[in-house]
């Protein structure tokens, strides 16, 4: 877990973030899965699996290490071409993990691979990179996708302000951030109060790199999390439904 956290922090440092994103995603992932297994056994998830998925979630954006600085750290709108480059981070991350020949059969690495590759897929098949849908998406990737979107909405970035917890949860439940597993949405709704209290113990901070906020970065419909790494970055490209 220590090495995974270090690698994740390296990627976040390059991306101008504080490192709290990985901690938040891990916390949200754990809380949602713990609640989910109390409600249903159909996913076959054990407490050991939850621990592995939580730890593997730290590597969800490791593919960003392959994204050029001028795109990764651009404070303004992404062009459609830049948007497509940003989207490659999921496959790049899977490629990195798939190349770990000595450890690729380890459960942690298997979960990390699933998360890296498919945490931008959506329940209705409108995500990327493979356009898979519903139960085709591994549950580990599904829950990290939800956690990633929630934290992107509620965290302050150099190019946007934080959205209140209640607003973020409503946006996710209303499908404004893409279609997600109804079971996970129910879990999010049911733990909403506890989640807010838990994350309040870990204040959201802005990234370490200071950039001028462009005027178009105010919250607008097109600034809903898009294929640009699940962030609230405004983009000229069509947003992921």
């Amino acid at each position: 877990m220590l090495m995974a956290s270090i690698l994740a922090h390296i990627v976040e440092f390059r991306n101008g973030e504080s490192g709290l994103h990985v901690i938040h995603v891990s916390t949200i992932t754990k809380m949602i899965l713990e609640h989910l297994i109390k409600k249903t056994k159909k996913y076959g998830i054990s407490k050991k699996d939850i621990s592995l998925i939580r730890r593997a979630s730290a590597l969800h954006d490791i593919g960003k290490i392959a994204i050029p600085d001028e795109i990764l750290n651009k404070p303004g709108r992404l062009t459609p071409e830049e948007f497509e480059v940003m989207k490659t981070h999921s496959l790049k991350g899977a490629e990195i993990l798939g190349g770990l020949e000595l450890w690729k059969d380890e459960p942690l690495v298997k979960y990390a691979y699933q998360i890296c590759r498919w945490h931008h897929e959506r329940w209705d098949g409108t995500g990327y990179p493979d356009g898979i849908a519903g139960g085709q998406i591994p549950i580990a990737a599904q829950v990290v996708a939800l956690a990633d979107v929630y934290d992107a909405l509620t965290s302050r970035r150099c190019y946007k302000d934080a959205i209140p917890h209640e607003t973020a949860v409503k946006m996710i439940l209303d499908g404004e951030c893409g279609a997600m597993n109804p079971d996970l949405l129910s879990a999010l709704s049911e733990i909403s109060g506890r989640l807010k209290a838990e994350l309040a113990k870990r204040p959201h901070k802005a990234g370490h790199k200071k950039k001028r906020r462009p005027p178009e970065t105010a919250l607008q419909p097109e600034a809903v999390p898009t294929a640009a790494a699940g962030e609230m970055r405004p983009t000229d490209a069509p947003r992921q439904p």
Side-chain angles (χ1 to χ4, degrees):
M1 180 57 183
L2 176 60
M3 187 56 66
S5 296
I6 291 172
L7 290 172
H9 184 68
I10 289 171
V11 173
E12 289 216 325
F13 184 87
R14 181 170 176 261
N15 193 29
E17 304 301 342
S18 66
L20 283 174
H21 178 61
V22 165
I23 296 172
H24 292 158
V25 168
S26 172
T27 299
I28 299 163
T29 295
K30 177 176 180 288
M31 291 183 68
I32 290 176
L33 286 178
E34 286 179 341
H35 189 75
L36 183 68
I37 65 172
K38 293 177 182 178
K39 296 180 59 180
T40 178
K41 303 297 183 185
K42 69 181 180 182
Y43 297 101
I45 300 171
S46 66
K47 290 183 178 179
K48 181 178 180 181
D49 290 322
I50 292 176
S51 177
L52 288 168
I53 294 169
R54 177 184 65 81
R55 289 155 59 194
S57 73
L59 297 173
H60 70 281
D61 275 339
I62 195 172
K64 283 184 177 180
I65 202 165
I67 303 300
D69 282 342
E70 60 270 22
I71 294 176
L72 187 65
N73 293 319
K74 183 177 180 179
R77 292 178 181 271
L78 296 178
T79 66
E81 293 76 20
E82 291 169 336
F83 184 90
E84 291 302 313
V85 173
M86 179 66 86
K87 287 166 62 176
T88 66
H89 81 279
S90 56
L91 282 178
K92 292 292 186 182
E95 182 181 343
I96 290 169
L97 292 168
L100 297 174
E101 289 295 330
L102 294 179
W103 300 282
K104 65 181 181 181
D105 292 326
E106 291 291 324
L108 178 65
V109 176
K110 287 183 177 180
Y111 276 130
Y113 178 93
Q114 293 174 3
I115 291 167
C116 279
R117 183 169 186 133
W118 293 306
H119 73 284
H120 284 293
E121 299 289 356
R122 290 297 179 260
W123 190 249
D124 58 0
T126 59
Y128 68 88
D130 299 312
I132 57 178
Q136 294 177 303
I137 310 168
I139 190 64
Q142 291 185 45
V143 70
V144 172
L146 195 161
D148 189 31
V149 167
Y150 171 88
D151 191 61
L153 288 167
T154 58
S155 296
R156 182 163 60 91
R157 297 287 189 263
C158 61
Y159 46 79
K160 77 168 194 74
D161 292 322
I163 292 175
H165 166 83
E166 292 77 11
T167 303
V169 170
K170 185 176 187 304
M171 289 174 67
I172 294 170
L173 296 180
D174 288 348
E176 294 184 46
C177 306
M180 297 190 182
N181 185 334
D183 290 340
L184 296 182
L185 293 178
S186 292
L188 173 65
S189 178
E190 290 163 11
I191 68 166
S192 177
R194 289 195 293 115
L195 180 63
K196 180 180 181 181
E198 181 63 28
L199 293 179
K201 302 173 185 176
R202 301 176 174 87
H204 291 71
K205 297 179 181 178
H208 64 271
K209 296 179 182 177
K210 295 182 179 179
K211 303 171 187 171
R212 179 178 299 175
R213 184 192 307 275
E216 71 270 24
T217 55
L219 180 60
Q220 303 169 10
E222 67 268 29
V224 172
T226 66
E231 296 173 349
M232 285 284 297
R233 183 194 302 272
T235 174
D236 288 327
R239 72 177 178 87
Q240 181 173 301

